[in-house]
Amino acid sequence: MDSVNRFGPELILLAMAAVIILADIGWALAGTGAERMRRPALGALALTGTAASIIWSALLIAFDEQGEAFSGMIRVDDFALFFNFLFAGTAAIVILASIDFLRRNRFVAEYYALILASTAGMMLLASTIDLIAIFVALELTGISLYILVAFMKDGRSSEAGLKYLLLGAISSAVALYGMAYLFGITGSTSLDEIGLVVSEANGETRSALVLAMVFLIAGFGFKMAIVPFQMWVPDVYEGAPTPVTAFLSVGSKAAGFAVVMRIFLTALGDGSISSDWATVFAILAAISMSLGNITALVQGNIKRMLGYSSIAQAGTFLIGLAVVAAADPQLLLGTSAVLFFLGTYAFTNLGAFIAVIAISSKIGSDQIADYAGVAKRSPLLALGLTICLLSLTGIPPTAGFIAKVYVFNAAVQADLVWLAIVGVLNSVVAAYYYLRVVLNMYTAEPASEESIQPGYYLGLAMVVAVVGLLVIGIFPSPLLEASEAAARVFG
Amino acid sequence: MIPIENFLVLSSILFSIGIYGVLARRNAVLIIMSVELMLQAVSINFIAFAVYLYPEQFTGLIFAIFVITIAAAEVGLALGIILRIFRNKGTSNVDEVDMLKW
């Protein structure tokens, strides 16, 4: 029973996904009379599922019900619970933002069910400690997301879906090849046992371990969307339905970082190998930040711009991972910096994408040029988007400022001063294209005077995101403590 | 008995052919087939390691079964999306699917 209990947050999401599909069949049988209630009811069911998942995770903490489940496949600890809250919260906000978006779509039930299934997959990615389970969770997340990206059935959405699927399949094959070598060297698929064997490894197996490490970085780099595994990001972000883009940019990326931290800190955390991957991550961090920001400068489409900006942000997270290789205090500092940054980034990016959903659905365009004068047509939306963009830039009093200070501080303390300098320079570059959107919204003349009114649900989601990032920006200590507690798992 | 190196070399050759196919082929169906080659290379690796180095446990063989099963699910989905694109555009060539900048 313990196993099922600890698996609860994921289980309830999967159960709710099944309930939603069955309820939809029920509605089809009930005839057209009940049709009016179908969409709100299905949305409510999906939200109930995420809420129940959050409550279950909270109960696991309250009753101190932590430990392993399913004979060492899953470990529910502070790290896994941190991500449970992050993913369930993200899913809830995305579902809220999708309700208006799905007004004209027939397949509402499938959409919600897939969101819940991929959320469960992401939670599993953060809690699994066995390579087989990691692979299954990776594909559960991935396959659900491929369908969601291709959901709109028009040319652009299918094209984005095909690109995402092809590159996703290649990347999981590459990661699997690395896992195969890891299994061959150590004879186990459990991360703890692999870590034990790796720490006793001698010079002979080292080259094979480095090979496995490179394959794993290449495979999971796709999920994290870091350079040079970022080719899919702008196309998929542009073509996918915008709520799905928001989900991808926050959920999928955070899941990638969660599983990389699990694998690299547990299985490959030994000093002889960790300095190697830390160097790789430091270089990739610098390239991701620079390339992401410079390419974002010339983008005309706001979804593409946010896509490139998310590549740059992923580079900033990677600084935290690069810091980890040094001694113990840095391990804590680096991992907790990544976790804290992921927490703030979730609010920030969700807020930005929700504003884009609200504005673009009204003006019928994703072009930054068409955002001219939005502040006159909808002052509150423009203010919300401005706050989110300021947070992405890293300007106080928003959450993004604290997160950047935390990460750069970690880099300086680990003697990676050059990386911190690259990061700060990139923040300056980033400010240019983020503030360009803000300027355009406030100073340019609007094309029409018609006001933009987001729907009730969309407005609520926006308020949650913006209030969240301001609260974290002013009172960062609860999230800081939570991320430090989660990072201590690897201590 | 065939030494394990032969299997590892076979698998790395298969994997390389797969990567070459992914990069060189322009037809989406052929790209999917190349990905399958890469996954089969992984399965060969797992089974060779499991049989030669760790004959007392089944983990490697189980992993190979998982790889095969999930790859099947992925291919099913891929063909579905390719069909949808074919209906929209009348082609499954990834160079002609270019509404978004590639």
Side-chain angles (χ1 to χ4, degrees), chain A residues 191-205:
Chain A
L191 294 184
D192 289 337
E193 284 175 35
I194 293 174
L196 215 61
V197 179
V198 168
S199 66
E200 291 160 1
N202 48 21
E204 284 172 33
T205 51

Side-chain angles (χ1 to χ4, degrees), chain B residues 23-66:
Chain B
L23 297 174
R25 295 288 155 209
R26 304 280 37 125
N27 189 313
V29 179
L30 289 178
I31 296 181
I32 291 292
M33 287 169 67
S34 307
V35 174
E36 285 300 297
L37 273 186
M38 292 166 72
L39 289 170
Q40 297 324 314
V42 171
S43 301
I44 290 177
N45 253 352
F46 269 119
I47 294 168
F49 283 135
V51 170
Y52 280 82
L53 299 182
Y54 313 104
E56 72 285 357
Q57 53 175 6
F58 290 106
T59 330
L61 302 178
I62 293 170
F63 210 137
I65 294 175
F66 270 94

Side-chain angles (χ1 to χ4, degrees), chain A residues 60-414:
Chain A
L60 286 180
I61 294 180
F63 289 98
D64 206 20
E65 182 63 44
Q66 302 184 16
E68 294 190 357
F70 298 114
S71 49
M73 284 281 166
I74 294 172
R75 182 180 296 144
V76 179
D77 47 21
D78 285 332
F79 182 77
L81 288 168
F82 180 90
F83 278 102
N84 277 0
F85 288 115
L86 183 69
F87 291 137
T90 306
I93 294 182
V94 169
I95 289 167
L96 265 183
S98 306
I99 293 175
D100 287 330
F101 188 80
L102 290 170
R103 273 273 132 82
R104 286 174 296 278
N105 200 307
R106 271 173 56 213
F107 302 100
V108 195
E110 287 82 352
Y111 181 92
Y112 291 136
L114 286 169
I115 292 260
L116 294 184
S118 69
T119 311
M122 290 171 190
M123 287 181 174
L124 275 176
L125 272 178
S127 58
T128 46
I129 49 166
D130 189 284
L131 289 180
I132 301 181
I134 286 175
F135 172 58
V136 175
L138 194 68
E139 293 299 313
L140 175 60
T141 319
I143 292 182
S144 317
L145 284 174
Y146 304 149
I147 308 175
L148 283 171
V149 168
F151 202 79
M152 298 309 281
K153 290 186 158 187
D154 57 13
R156 304 170 79 79
S157 181
S158 321
E159 183 185 333
L162 180 67
K163 285 176 177 173
Y164 190 38
L165 185 144
L166 286 180
L167 290 172
I170 297 163
S171 78
S172 43
V174 172
L176 271 176
Y177 204 69
M179 288 183 191
Y181 271 98
L182 217 48
F183 169 73
I185 298 161
T186 60
S188 171
T189 53
S190 147
L191 294 184
D192 289 337
E193 284 175 35
I194 293 174
L196 215 61
V197 179
V198 168
S199 66
E200 291 160 1
N202 48 21
E204 284 172 33
T205 51
R206 202 188 127 80
S207 50
L209 270 179
V210 171
L211 184 75
M213 178 195 87
V214 170
F215 275 108
L216 285 174
I217 292 178
F220 289 116
F222 168 86
K223 277 272 166 213
M224 300 190 287
I226 53 174
V227 178
F229 315 106
Q230 91 300 2
M231 313 76 99
W232 60 279
V233 172
D235 288 349
V236 172
Y237 278 27
E238 186 187 344
T242 317
V244 176
T245 311
F247 194 48
L248 266 183
S249 77
V250 175
S252 169
K253 192 179 289 268
F257 275 93
V259 70
V260 163
M261 282 192 266
R262 270 275 189 225
I263 293 183
F264 282 82
L265 297 179
T266 319
L268 300 171
D270 184 64
S272 59
I273 186 100
S274 70
S275 56
D276 288 337
W277 54 256
T279 316
V280 175
F281 279 143
I283 295 167
L284 291 183
I287 304 176
S288 297
M289 285 190 292
S290 313
L291 206 78
N293 277 325
I294 290 168
T295 333
L297 284 177
V298 295
Q299 297 304 317
N301 183 308
I302 193 156
K303 280 165 82 178
R304 280 185 96 84
M305 188 206 87
L306 285 173
Y308 281 111
S309 113
S310 85
I311 296 171
Q313 302 281 341
T316 323
F317 303 155
L318 269 187
I319 295 180
L321 277 181
V323 166
V324 165
D328 273 311
Q330 269 77 14
L331 180 98
L332 189 60
L333 201 60
T335 8
S336 65
V338 177
L339 293 169
F340 182 77
F341 209 139
L342 282 172
T344 64
Y345 175 79
F347 284 110
T348 310
N349 234 32
L350 283 175
F353 273 110
I354 290 165
V356 169
I357 298 172
I359 297 172
S360 292
S361 68
K362 193 72 186 178
I363 64 176
S365 161
D366 287 333
Q367 296 302 315
I368 295 173
D370 293 333
Y371 277 52
V374 164
K376 291 201 185 70
R377 300 170 68 180
S378 174
L380 282 179
L381 265 182
L383 182 67
L385 183 54
T386 305
I387 293 175
C388 292
L389 292 176
L390 288 180
S391 178
L392 281 172
T393 321
I395 292 174
T398 55
F401 170 69
I402 313 262
K404 280 204 170 157
V405 169
Y406 198 179
V407 169
F408 294 152
N409 172 40
V412 171
Q413 297 215 4

Side-chain angles (χ1 to χ4, degrees), chain A residues 37-60:
Chain A
M37 286 304 294
R38 187 170 74 106
R39 281 154 210 277
L42 292 176
L45 275 178
L47 280 176
T48 316
T50 53
S53 175
I54 291 176
I55 292 171
W56 199 315
S57 303
L59 287 178
L60 286 180

Side-chain angles (χ1 to χ4, degrees), chain A residues 402-455:
Chain A
I402 313 262
K404 280 204 170 157
V405 169
Y406 198 179
V407 169
F408 294 152
N409 172 40
V412 171
Q413 297 215 4
D415 284 337
L416 286 170
V417 181
W418 67 273
L419 203 52
I421 293 174
V422 173
V424 173
L425 286 179
N426 267 294
S427 300
V428 179
V429 177
Y432 175 76
Y433 63 82
Y434 289 131
L435 299 182
R436 196 180 51 160
V437 179
V438 175
L439 262 184
N440 201 19
M441 285 195 301
Y442 277 95
T443 58
E445 280 304 308
S448 82
E449 294 297 324
E450 191 192 356
S451 78
I452 299 170
Q453 203 66 43

